[in-house]
Amino acid sequence: CCEGRDAACVGEGWREGGGYGTCYCDGGCRRAGDCCHDHGQACPAIPCVVGEWSHWSGCAEQCQPGLRIRRRYVQQEPKNGGEPCPALEEKAGCLEYLTYQGEDCGHEHVPAFITTSEYGKERKRRAVSSLWPSDKEAPGYCVEFKTESLSHHCALENRPYARWMQYIREGHTVCVACQPPAMNSDTHRCSGDGHNADGGKILHWEAVGNSQCQGTWKKIRQLEHCSCPLVHSFIFT
């Protein structure tokens, strides 16, 4: 077996696809279709193996929309035409409401900044968020909104970490969870949640990770737990 495309790794015999003559046993013979008949046994394909995803990083900057990153690493490189490695890095939008000094800056954000609820599974309490006791579960709540309008930029989004924006539709009911650290430690509310707003008030939201994906919605009600389908579930960031 020879690594990569190696024209010197040649033999004389039957090919895998039939026919007798020159055949190869290098890593590129499967793509070229000229492997020797016993290539699969002599040089079995070994797929790429990657490790588990790391925890999500914090935001690049505090108090303004940015990106978080998680990575995984190759444990076994593919060989002999094996399955190539998948993406090793993922990005997603995020927003943190505490400065590095631990001061709350959530009041600076008038629109509701949202991201996919998938981030909620990975969200870690920051060391600076000592206002929330680590020995008990922090409170949270869910708000249902009916989307009224959105920019066309949401549907055009195709970056891997932002494809969730494609599922936002006008007229749909969406659920947005309020959890620490987006929740203000004093008011126990998330910025832009429509608190005290009646059902007729137009409220604004913006997708973290693409400032051009934004729109309006109206608050329906506040609940203890979210019940929307996953594609219509988001979190305040």
Side-chain angles (χ1 to χ4, degrees), residues 3-161:
E3 296 290 333
R5 189 72 184 268
D6 188 351
C9 196
V10 63
E12 185 81 10
W14 292 99
R15 294 184 177 182
E16 275 188 338
Y20 187 90
T22 302
C23 60
Y24 295 84
C25 201
D26 62 345
C29 73
R30 292 199 178 278
R31 291 190 298 273
D34 53 13
C35 296
C36 297
H37 74 282
D38 61 347
H39 182 269
Q41 291 75 43
C43 309
I46 299 176
C48 176
V49 178
V50 297
E52 296 294 323
W53 286 110
S54 68
H55 291 295
W56 284 107
S57 70
C59 294
E61 297 183 57
Q62 267 60 38
C63 302
Q64 65 182 34
L67 291 176
R68 55 191 164 85
I69 300 173
R70 67 176 182 174
R71 296 183 174 91
R72 55 186 175 184
Y73 298 92
V74 176
Q75 296 178 339
Q76 170 65 62
E77 294 284 354
K79 294 182 179 179
N80 305 325
E83 191 73 23
C85 295
L88 300 177
E89 182 178 279
E90 281 190 346
K91 297 179 181 179
C94 68
L95 177 63
E96 291 185 358
Y97 284 80
L98 290 174
T99 66
Y100 289 116
Q101 291 73 37
E103 299 172 353
D104 177 64
C105 53
H107 63 279
E108 298 175 9
H109 303 287
V110 176
F113 284 93
I114 63 171
T115 190
T116 171
S117 62
E118 286 294 308
Y119 181 33
K121 298 177 182 178
E122 296 284 349
R123 176 180 262 170
K124 300 181 298 182
R125 297 195 188 105
R126 304 288 165 220
V128 294
S129 187
S130 58
L131 299 172
W132 298 102
S134 58
D135 59 344
K136 65 179 182 179
E137 189 68 25
Y141 60 91
C142 180
V143 184
E144 283 186 0
F145 296 95
K146 182 179 179 182
T147 55
E148 295 289 312
S149 66
L150 70 156
S151 65
H152 71 281
H153 297 283
C154 303
L156 298 176
E157 184 58 76
N158 57 15
R159 290 174 292 175
Y161 67 84

Side-chain angles (χ1 to χ4, degrees), residues 169-190:
R169 299 282 190 276
E170 289 185 10
H172 284 194
T173 296
V174 297
C175 293
V176 189
C178 176
Q179 307 164 344
M183 182 186 292
N184 183 287
S185 58
D186 295 324
T187 65
H188 285 201
R189 307 210 66 84
C190 286

